Amino acid sequence: MGSIQYLKGIGPARAKSLARLDIFSIADLLHYYPRTYQDRRENPPNSGLNPPSLVIFKGRVLRAQTIPARSVLIFKAFLSDTQNRQIECTWFKKRSFRNFRFDPFAQLKKDFKINTEVWVIGRRENRNNFFDNKITVEEYYPVSDPQSAWHAGRLTPIYSLTEGLTHKQMRQYMQEALAGGQSEAEPDILPSFLADKRHFLGSTQALRAIHFPTSLAELENARARLAYEEFLLLATAWGIKRSQTKTIAKGYHYQIKKNLLSPFRKNLGFEFTGSQKKVINEIFADLQSPLPMNRLLQGDVGSGKTLVALSAMLLAAENGYQSVLMAPTEILAEQHYMTFQRILKKLKVPVAVLTSSTKTAERKKILAALADGSLTIIVGTHALIQDDVQFKNLKLAVIDEQHRFGVRQRGKLKEKTSRLDLLTMTATPIPRTLALVLYGDLAVSTLTELPPGRRPIFTQMADEPQACRIVAEEIQKGRQAYIVYPLIEESEKISAKAVSEEFEKLKKFFPQFQLAMLHGQMSRTEKENVMKDFAAHKTDILVATPVIEVGIDVPNATVMVIQNAERFGLASLHQLRGRVGRGQHESRCILVAQHQGSVSKERLRIICDTCDGFKIGEKDMQLRGPGEILGTRQSGELELKAGDLFKDRNILQWAIEDRDELLRQDPLLQNPQHAAFKKRLLELYQQNWHLIDLS
């Protein structure tokens, strides 16, 4: 299909606006599905599509007039609807003193002549009344205009827009593409035996119905067909990758020698949980397998993922192999390094940290030690995948907070050696069915227990004075507190409190206590000193940005205050809360919110109601979508436009079952009947999953 700018009514200027929505071709346009719909039929049923304040009616014009005011111009039209109710419709325009001869209501005066029939869409001025005869108009369409049939009197698509585009334009462009037979030019990619098995609409019919459905039933049938297609492509890509990965032997092996593992466990001073022991055994079995390990380790905040990963790294070390732990941020990498350094000091296992902030001289030493094999364990950020980083005998990689890394970045790390065992970790728990599709090439291990002695954290909403009183009370008992702000410095564009300015205010508010500040722009030495002082109880209150979201373990800290809590996602709120509740004392998390929308209110309600990370992870995906949560929206790994991984679990399950059936029949999709499906699969995923080989 051709460039979008050649579609009637678009041209170069509008094409630039559409490009901001990633619409470059007519095919892109057809697959840019509505974000929602409005029921603009006369007397629509209560389908839940329309907000209570929305008014949609067809009326006959009784009279119209312009009303001048000091700063605005007002146009009013009085219409009689099909139930003979008189409705007052209002438009507002700013008065232009530069061009006072220009009449902004010229078109309205033409369209709202007496006895003209018009479709009107607007909002009640009194939004508490079920029916209010005064509305502010958002859209209108003369009934005599043939194009009005695409905007009113039907189930009407509502698209996500960008500057320079209107809903009316988007519907017109979509109708132009459909009327031009562009949807018929697209091949139906679904293997025919699967389309027949599931009784889906054809591709052309589904595309028409997703944009301009004639009924709710047709809309749902179209969406189900398109969602299934997305799920099947995604599941098939992972299925092929997994089967091909399993055919490659790694060519090296591990023996459990216990010359490092036994003293490591003894030095910890506590027993692993039953869940940790089970997962360690699963990982060790993978490492001893002749095939490369590709395992996802998921566990709630504080469940002990880091110690599990370190156990695997020590197994690699006692077999003479190097291992790497890659973290998404410098602060997290440095926190892991400090933990490893403390634990491994007695074992005399060399460990270092490499980030973009590492000084040149130190970096040269680290690179040389990695190249000659004298450095056994390295912790770092994206700096580890730079071209000049070379290993002598790298065999194990651990990716922490894996959803913040794309497939290409993980692939870059694999290029550092001929074969690699890979363990990825996440604190964002993923439902099993979801994991089967998102990570089809991974085995999944889950830590289901928290270490003994962990206590539930009481979470509440509070205003700032109340939060400060709670902090003071806890410190007077000998405890410590965190106060977290979303920004380092105040922003003119964002109304949120900044840690640097608030720190000075807090020092005056708590003159009797010791305060310290921590943020990501400090040097590594500064951050280490601040964290060491807080751990040693030289500091009472740590005032920080979200850099403390992970990796800090101070059992004496019992209060977490999160300022501007409405600006944080559920996962971040849960991670921050997990910094307390690590000792024997009762702990609490205080949420201080400023401006709350409906979504942020729901997030805060959820975080107050439960400490269960699995429930929180699932709710977060429902609110924000899995692409955003798992970091795949930008990386291209997961782009679902029609499907919803939670609402459509039955369709997702169909796709997994049918993927297995398809690949049993045709493992490399060589059957000519599967050519269109194979072509689309490679277009979508080959650039991201370079292991897929369908040649």
Side-chain angles (χ1 to χ4, degrees):
M1 292 189 188
S3 169
I4 192 66
Q5 80 173 67
Y6 300 114
L7 190 68
K8 183 179 177 182
I10 294 183
R14 294 268 164 74
K16 288 181 180 178
S17 296
L18 289 164
R20 290 197 291 271
L21 300 175
D22 291 326
I23 298 173
F24 302 97
S25 68
I26 295 173
D28 293 336
L29 179 68
L30 288 172
H31 289 283
Y32 190 77
Y33 305 139
R35 63 175 173 82
T36 189
Y37 300 82
Q38 288 179 355
D39 193 340
R40 294 186 177 181
R41 296 172 292 185
E42 282 193 85
N43 305 313
N46 186 15
S47 61
L49 290 177
N50 299 344
S53 60
L54 190 70
V55 177
I56 299 163
F57 72 96
K58 182 167 66 172
R60 182 174 55 84
V61 179
L62 301 175
R63 64 184 188 280
Q65 64 187 98
T66 303
I67 303 172
R70 179 172 295 180
S71 58
V72 296
L73 290 170
I74 301 170
F75 184 83
K76 285 188 180 293
F78 298 85
L79 285 78
S80 174
D81 70 4
T82 53
Q83 298 179 43
N84 292 321
R85 293 178 294 199
Q86 188 174 127
I87 302 174
E88 180 182 316
C89 303
T90 306
W91 290 257
F92 299 92
K93 294 282 186 181
K94 285 186 178 180
R95 183 186 288 273
S96 173
F97 293 99
R98 292 182 179 178
N99 189 2
F100 62 90
R101 292 183 179 178
F102 172 72
D103 183 357
F105 297 133
Q107 189 61 48
L108 283 169
K109 290 174 181 176
K110 291 179 183 177
D111 292 336
F112 281 80
K113 292 179 178 177
I114 294 175
N115 288 328
T116 301
E117 276 198 308
V118 184
W119 279 103
V120 179
I121 297 95
R123 302 276 171 172
R124 295 182 181 89
E125 292 184 11
N126 182 356
R127 297 192 176 192
N128 294 322
N129 286 347
F130 179 73
F131 184 83
D132 184 24
N133 67 345
K134 294 183 179 181
I135 71 167
T136 301
V137 178
E138 294 180 350
E139 299 176 47
Y140 75 90
Y141 301 96
V143 173
S144 59
D145 183 353
Q147 289 193 350
S148 70
W150 303 115
H151 309 290
R154 64 173 307 118
L155 290 172
T156 305
I158 305 295
Y159 299 91
S160 295
L161 300 177
T162 187
E163 187 178 356
L165 292 171
T166 67
H167 291 298
K168 182 178 180 180
Q169 288 170 336
M170 284 296 288
R171 289 191 285 268
Q172 287 174 336
Y173 300 155
M174 210 65 72
Q175 180 55 29
E176 192 66 37
L178 290 166
Q182 303 290 350
S183 58
E184 284 85 347
E186 276 208 347
D188 196 331
I189 69 165
L190 273 192
S192 57
F193 78 96
L194 294 180
D196 294 341
K197 175 183 177 180
R198 299 300 180 185
H199 307 291
F200 283 130
L201 298 175
S203 176
T204 299
Q205 188 181 358
L207 278 175
R208 287 184 176 278
I210 198 74
H211 293 292
F212 297 103
T214 58
S215 67
L216 289 171
E218 186 185 51
L219 170 60
E220 187 50 38
N221 287 339
R223 200 190 61 78
R225 149 70 202 237
L226 296 169
Y228 172 85
E229 188 174 294
E230 291 175 339
F231 292 153
L232 185 65
L233 285 162
L234 185 62
T236 303
W238 279 123
I240 292 171
K241 182 185 176 185
R242 185 172 192 178
S243 64
Q244 292 179 346
T245 302
K246 281 188 170 182
T247 63
I248 305 169
K250 58 190 177 188
Y252 56 91
H253 67 279
Y254 297 79
Q255 287 183 322
I256 299 177
K257 302 177 181 179
K258 298 189 177 180
N259 54 0
L260 291 175
L261 288 167
S262 293
F264 160 63
R265 294 182 67 165
K266 185 178 178 181
N267 292 342
L268 285 176
F270 56 84
E271 276 288 312
F272 284 132
T273 65
S275 183
Q276 284 176 309
K277 290 176 183 177
K278 177 178 178 291
V279 168
I280 287 171
N281 286 334
E282 290 171 348
I283 293 169
F284 281 16
D286 277 0
L287 292 175
Q288 293 175 88
S289 163
L291 301 174
M293 176 175 73
N294 219 358
R295 184 168 288 274
L296 171 68
L297 171 58
Q298 58 180 9
D300 204 350
V301 176
S303 59
K305 295 185 296 296
T306 303
L307 290 179
V308 169
L310 185 53
S311 298
M313 297 172 87
L314 287 174
L315 177 58
E318 64 182 18
N319 281 273
Y321 304 141
Q322 292 172 301
S323 59
V324 56
L325 188 151
M326 190 161 77
T329 64
E330 287 194 13
I331 189 80
L332 180 54
E334 288 158 2
Q335 287 161 4
H336 280 312
Y337 168 66
M338 289 171 63
T339 301
F340 284 13
Q341 197 178 39
R342 185 182 74 249
I343 294 172
L344 300 177
K345 193 173 184 180
K346 293 180 181 178
L347 301 179
K348 297 182 180 179
V349 176
V351 59
V353 62
L354 182 65
T355 70
S356 58
S357 298
T358 303
K359 298 257 182 5
T360 303
E362 186 181 358
R363 178 184 170 83
K364 284 182 179 178
K365 288 181 183 177
I366 291 171
L367 294 186
L370 288 174
D372 66 23
S374 58
L375 182 55
T376 306
I377 293 177
I378 182 74
V379 180
T381 58
H382 297 76
L384 291 168
I385 58 175
Q386 299 302 311
D387 291 340
D388 61 345
V389 180
Q390 300 297 324
F391 297 84
K392 182 179 181 180
N393 202 15
L394 177 65
K395 291 293 180 279
L396 173 64
V398 179
I399 310 287
D400 195 13
E401 295 298 310
Q402 62 79 35
H403 57 279
R404 302 195 196 181
F405 294 98
V407 167
R408 291 186 191 89
Q409 292 162 324
R410 297 199 288 270
K412 190 93 172 167
L413 190 56
K414 288 182 177 182
E415 291 171 6
K416 299 290 181 183
T417 183
S418 57
R419 294 287 182 270
L420 187 67
D421 290 301
L422 183 64
L423 176 67
T424 59
M425 303 194 298
T426 180
T428 303
I430 303 163
R432 182 178 176 277
T433 308
L434 190 55
L436 284 172
V437 173
L438 299 179
Y439 304 110
D441 67 331
L442 297 183
V444 180
S445 291
T446 304
L447 291 172
T448 56
E449 299 175 67
L450 292 178
R454 282 292 174 91
R455 305 181 66 151
I457 303 163
F458 176 69
T459 306
Q460 68 182 95
M461 299 290 300
D463 58 22
E464 196 161 10
Q466 184 183 2
C468 289
R469 282 197 302 272
I470 293 170
V471 168
E473 289 168 4
E474 286 295 302
I475 295 174
Q476 285 162 0
K477 293 177 187 175
R479 313 289 169 253
Q480 292 164 275
Y482 302 97
I483 302 179
V484 176
Y485 294 89
L487 302 172
I488 296 174
E489 296 176 349
E490 195 70 61
S491 167
E492 293 180 4
K493 294 182 179 179
I494 302 174
S495 177
K497 294 186 175 180
V499 66
S500 55
E501 292 190 10
E502 295 300 319
F503 180 68
E504 297 303 321
K505 294 178 187 176
L506 288 170
K507 283 200 297 186
K508 295 175 183 176
F509 191 85
F510 295 114
Q512 72 275 38
F513 302 136
Q514 293 297 315
L515 280 73
M517 180 169 61
L518 182 68
H519 57 74
Q521 291 184 6
M522 297 164 65
S523 70
R524 186 203 303 172
T525 303
E526 288 174 323
K527 285 182 279 195
E528 284 183 3
N529 290 337
V530 168
M531 289 189 288
K532 284 177 181 176
D533 286 349
F534 190 66
H537 202 170
K538 294 179 181 178
T539 307
D540 298 308
I541 302 173
L542 185 58
V543 183
T545 60
V547 295
I548 65 159
E549 186 177 312
V550 283
I552 291 183
D553 187 357
V554 180
N556 193 51
T558 58
V559 184
M560 166 62 70
V561 178
I562 305 175
Q563 293 277 0
N564 288 110
E566 77 281 359
R567 292 192 56 79
F568 294 86
L570 266 174
S572 291
L573 290 170
H574 185 52
Q575 287 273 19
L576 288 168
R577 175 171 61 184
R579 297 310 100 208
V580 296
R582 292 172 170 259
Q584 59 182 330
H585 309 291
E586 288 188 358
S587 297
R588 56 206 307 184
C589 177
I590 316 298
L591 308 175
V592 181
Q594 308 298 324
H595 311 290
Q596 298 180 53
S598 58
V599 174
S600 61
K601 279 183 181 177
E602 178 65 7
R603 279 202 302 266
L604 300 180
R605 184 194 65 76
I606 291 166
I607 207 74
C608 287
D609 285 351
T610 182
C611 286
D612 187 327
F614 284 79
K615 290 180 181 176
I616 288 167
E618 186 157 330
K619 290 287 186 184
D620 206 10
M621 287 191 197
Q622 288 174 344
L623 287 174
R624 291 200 285 159
E628 189 173 336
I629 299 299
L630 300 170
T632 55
R633 179 166 291 177
Q634 289 77 31
S635 68
E637 294 176 44
L638 173 65
E639 188 180 10
L640 299 178
K641 298 178 180 179
D644 184 306
L645 285 160
F646 287 91
K647 294 176 184 175
D648 300 326
R649 290 188 185 185
N650 61 324
I651 302 175
L652 175 56
Q653 194 62 50
W654 293 348
I656 294 170
E657 292 170 8
D658 294 350
R659 179 272 313 272
D660 293 342
E661 185 178 352
L662 174 63
L663 294 182
R664 273 196 303 270
Q665 292 183 16
D666 189 6
L668 294 178
L669 302 178
Q670 293 175 321
N671 188 322
Q673 294 180 355
H674 303 152
F677 183 79
K678 178 179 178 178
K679 182 173 182 289
R680 178 70 60 81
L681 183 73
L682 292 176
E683 288 171 354
L684 290 176
Y685 297 125
Q686 193 173 41
Q687 60 178 335
N688 289 316
W689 288 302
H690 55 276
L691 289 178
I692 293 178
D693 181 5
L694 293 175
S695 57

